[in-house]
Amino acid sequence: MIRPPRRHPTSYPGPGRRRSRSAKKPKQSKAKKILLWTGGSMAFVLVGVSAAGYLYLKHLEGNVNTTDVGNAGSEGFSKDEAFDILIIGTDKRTGKGNGGYGDKNSVGHADTNILLHVAKDRSNATAVSIPRDLITDIPDCPTIQPDGSEKVIGGTQGVRFNTSLGQGDRDPGCTMRTVKALTGIKPDHFMMADFNAVKTLTSAVGGVEVCVAHPVDDKESHLKLPKGKSTVAGEQALAFVRTRHSFGNQGDLDRIKVQQQFLGSLMRKMSSSDTLTNPKKLYKLAEAATKALTVDTGIGKVSTLKDVAMELKKVPPKNITFTTLPVLDNPAERVKATVVVNESKAKPLFEAIKNDVSLTDVKQKEKKEKAAVAARLKGPRSDASEIRVDIYNGGAKAGSAQETLSWLQNDEGVLKSSQLGNADETLSKTTLEYAPDQADQARKLADLMGLPASGMKPGKSEKNAQGLPAIVLTLGEDFKGAGVPLTSSSVDLDVDKSTADKQVCAS
């Protein structure tokens, strides 16, 4: 990476003035019932896997509604990169038979939300449910009006996540922006389904098998099931995903688990040979899914939707992991009705997704990382006193560059070191860039830092204050403190999870 010339106010061994970080450009009753709309989205993309399905998509494209979310998402779809799709289910009571579910005048909030991350190599996917009652901040949201003009809807702080859609005319792009602000992950696209999705999709595939650990007779949702396995479709399927009082602690977090189990079963049914080789079922499924679906303009074309379908089909069900954003009861409430993010557990989850780490093969990833470290760092080491390094803060907490400088000089004998304030950009991971003839110095510094192989960047060095070549250490957001090894990556996740290939009985 070629860097522009930098001024070097500090020469080793003393600290220097800190550069200010340049300002960044702003980026653009009864409890409510919620439904699992993800089935509608997944059904649609799965339909496109055959040649016949592709041809039929040309007809189906007329069924799909699109929303222009501007720069909240990506303009197009890449078959060669990891991608993130935000799947949204609304509580809007439009459509035949839906007016009796309560909240009939709802503007359509984001009551079911799943951030689906698909790995670059398509070996795995992670689906993270975001609770509707999560207290968060909703950022300002530029929305595209019918006449092409832009209207900015002001953000609000400390409100329920589900108000990121519908409230104040917010569109799905506002929910995407809220997810970005909450997780640091920018959704590339969204898929949103209406209130009829569960009923029509489950009927189209001839029913979905579910399992309950005990008999259910729920007066609120009108679900009646015997203990064990049953097949549900239509209104009964809708009742299953609406049911809250018969499972767990009768809260939405337990209902989310039930919905994830239902989704896994629906995905297995839709991808089964019984469905994909049955033209009649495919026809019904395609019609039902597309009539219930709204997507962003970036994936609204038939050719793009086909590409999405083909990429999603590559992911084995056993490597599709469902989990829920880690949360805690809202400490500000006496009567617990909302939740807040559990930062200590959520941050490693976000980092895993950002770095394309599968929740199903964490141990394998760690093993590969250790092997890569050994391979990259194989070779001779310089003495610590010979290392020339310039240190920048690229996202670590304030003072980290100075802290590292003091540690290297006083504890490790790296005297030819300088700290030069803030880097030109924020990095999620700490990096060490060096020229080929500085590999010995880089290996030694990597040893001292506990730096993983992924952080080693062979390239070019820069001239330090004395005009001598220096390797460049940029402390990223993953930096844990001077002397704390970075090889213990953030994939040690403490989250509940399940996979799409296994059936779990709701309890």
Side-chain angles (χ1 to χ4, degrees):
M1 180 175 68
I2 299 176
R3 297 175 180 272
R6 290 188 174 112
R7 290 179 298 172
H8 294 268
T10 306
S11 61
Y12 53 82
R17 297 182 318 228
R18 298 187 55 81
R19 298 188 304 166
S20 62
R21 187 190 302 271
S22 58
K24 293 185 177 180
K25 295 181 180 179
K27 294 183 178 180
Q28 306 252 323
S29 85
K30 303 285 185 184
K32 291 182 178 178
K33 313 300 182 187
I34 62 174
L35 294 174
L36 185 57
W37 300 122
T38 316
S41 306
M42 294 302 294
F44 178 71
V45 295
L46 285 170
V47 166
V49 301
S50 67
Y54 170 68
L55 294 175
Y56 189 50
L57 282 176
K58 293 182 179 180
H59 159 72
L60 297 175
E61 190 172 89
N63 292 344
V64 182
N65 294 314
T66 60
T67 297
D68 187 350
V69 297
N71 63 5
S74 301
E75 292 183 1
F77 176 76
S78 173
K79 293 186 287 184
D80 301 319
E81 299 295 333
F83 61 93
D84 299 277
I85 296 180
L86 179 62
I87 300 166
I88 306 171
T90 76
D91 62 355
K92 198 169 185 177
R93 267 62 174 166
T94 55
K96 183 180 179 181
N98 294 328
Y101 296 135
D103 300 324
K104 63 182 179 180
N105 295 320
S106 173
V107 294
H109 294 112
D111 269 9
T112 295
N113 310 275
I114 296 180
L115 179 61
L116 176 66
H117 172 81
V118 181
K120 181 177 181 178
D121 63 6
R122 309 301 185 244
S123 65
N124 66 86
T126 301
V128 181
S129 294
I130 302 175
R132 65 173 188 174
D133 293 326
L134 175 73
I135 297 300
T136 190
D137 295 338
I138 300 175
D140 291 347
C141 179
T143 59
I144 309 299
Q145 302 300 299
D147 62 0
S149 63
E150 182 177 280
K151 174 184 177 182
V152 177
I153 300 172
T156 52
Q157 296 183 327
V159 295
R160 279 179 166 87
F161 181 91
N162 68 345
T163 60
S164 63
L165 177 69
Q167 200 84 358
D169 294 326
R170 292 187 177 113
D171 66 10
C174 300
T175 307
M176 295 172 73
R177 294 176 191 276
T178 303
V179 169
K180 171 63 167 62
L182 175 67
T183 67
I185 301 165
K186 179 182 178 180
D188 296 294
H189 306 286
F190 84 88
M191 291 181 173
M192 182 173 69
D194 66 17
F195 209 72
N196 283 311
V198 171
K199 293 191 290 185
T200 56
L201 287 168
T202 53
S203 296
V205 297
V208 173
E209 185 177 86
V210 297
C211 181
V212 294
H214 54 77
V216 175
D217 186 359
D218 195 290
K219 295 181 180 179
E220 297 294 330
S221 67
H222 306 295
L223 178 68
K224 291 185 178 182
L225 291 176
K227 177 181 177 180
K229 297 179 181 179
S230 300
T231 298
V232 296
E235 289 288 350
Q236 196 176 29
L238 179 59
F240 184 82
V241 296
R242 288 178 59 232
T243 296
R244 182 183 61 183
H245 297 285
S246 296
F247 301 127
N249 294 322
Q250 303 185 13
D252 280 327
L253 294 180
D254 288 300
R255 179 160 54 179
I256 285 175
K257 293 180 182 178
V258 173
Q259 292 172 340
Q260 291 172 346
Q261 295 161 16
F262 176 85
L263 176 57
S265 183
L266 178 59
M267 291 171 63
R268 291 192 297 273
K269 184 61 177 286
M270 289 188 298
S271 60
S272 68
S273 59
D274 178 57
T275 298
L276 295 179
T277 61
N278 187 322
K280 186 175 181 179
K281 282 188 178 180
L282 278 176
Y283 177 89
K284 290 182 178 180
L285 184 57
E287 290 288 346
T290 53
K291 287 180 180 178
L293 192 65
T294 299
V295 301
D296 59 282
T297 52
I299 56 173
K301 293 183 179 180
V302 62
S303 58
T304 309
L305 288 169
K306 183 266 296 182
D307 289 341
V308 175
M310 298 302 290
E311 296 307 307
L312 283 169
K313 187 175 183 291
K314 295 177 182 178
V315 184
K318 68 178 182 178
N319 289 339
I320 300 176
T321 307
F322 297 103
T323 189
T324 302
L325 174 67
V327 295
L328 301 168
D329 287 333
N330 188 348
E333 295 177 334
R334 179 171 296 178
V335 178
K336 304 305 179 184
T338 61
V339 293
V340 296
V341 175
N342 184 336
E343 296 288 351
S344 64
K345 293 185 177 182
K347 187 173 181 179
L349 175 61
F350 299 155
E351 287 300 314
I353 293 174
K354 289 178 187 177
N355 292 292
D356 221 13
V357 175
S358 169
L359 271 62
T360 56
D361 63 354
V362 169
K363 291 183 178 180
Q364 292 90 324
K365 290 283 186 180
E366 290 178 334
K367 187 176 181 180
K368 290 180 180 178
E369 174 64 25
K370 289 180 180 179
V373 169
R376 180 66 62 84
L377 299 182
K378 186 176 181 180
R381 269 76 168 156
S382 297
D383 186 85
S385 63
E386 298 174 2
I387 298 173
R388 289 189 299 272
V389 57
D390 286 347
I391 307 166
Y392 293 89
N393 190 327
K397 67 179 181 180
S400 292
Q402 179 60 45
E403 178 190 0
T404 301
L405 177 71
S406 299
W407 168 69
L408 287 174
Q409 291 183 347
N410 299 326
D411 297 348
E412 301 299 336
V414 183
L415 301 178
K416 299 175 183 179
S417 50
S418 304
Q419 75 90 356
L420 301 173
N422 293 334
D424 295 332
E425 59 182 342
T426 299
L427 302 179
S428 62
K429 294 292 183 180
T430 297
T431 63
L432 181 60
E433 187 174 6
Y434 56 95
D437 61 354
Q438 294 173 307
D440 293 3
Q441 295 182 35
R443 293 187 193 103
K444 179 61 177 180
L445 185 57
D447 289 343
L448 297 176
M449 297 287 297
L451 188 68
S454 58
M456 301 287 286
K457 305 293 182 183
K460 292 186 177 182
S461 60
E462 67 177 22
K463 294 293 181 67
N464 65 10
Q466 284 71 44
L468 299 173
I471 58 181
V472 179
L473 174 64
T474 305
L475 307 178
E477 293 175 329
D478 66 331
F479 182 73
K480 301 179 178 68
V484 180
L486 289 163
T487 47
S488 55
S489 62
S490 61
V491 297
D492 184 17
L493 303 178
D494 182 14
V495 295
D496 292 329
K497 54 182 184 261
S498 61
T499 53
D501 64 318
K502 297 178 181 178
Q503 185 175 59
V504 180
C505 292
S507 60

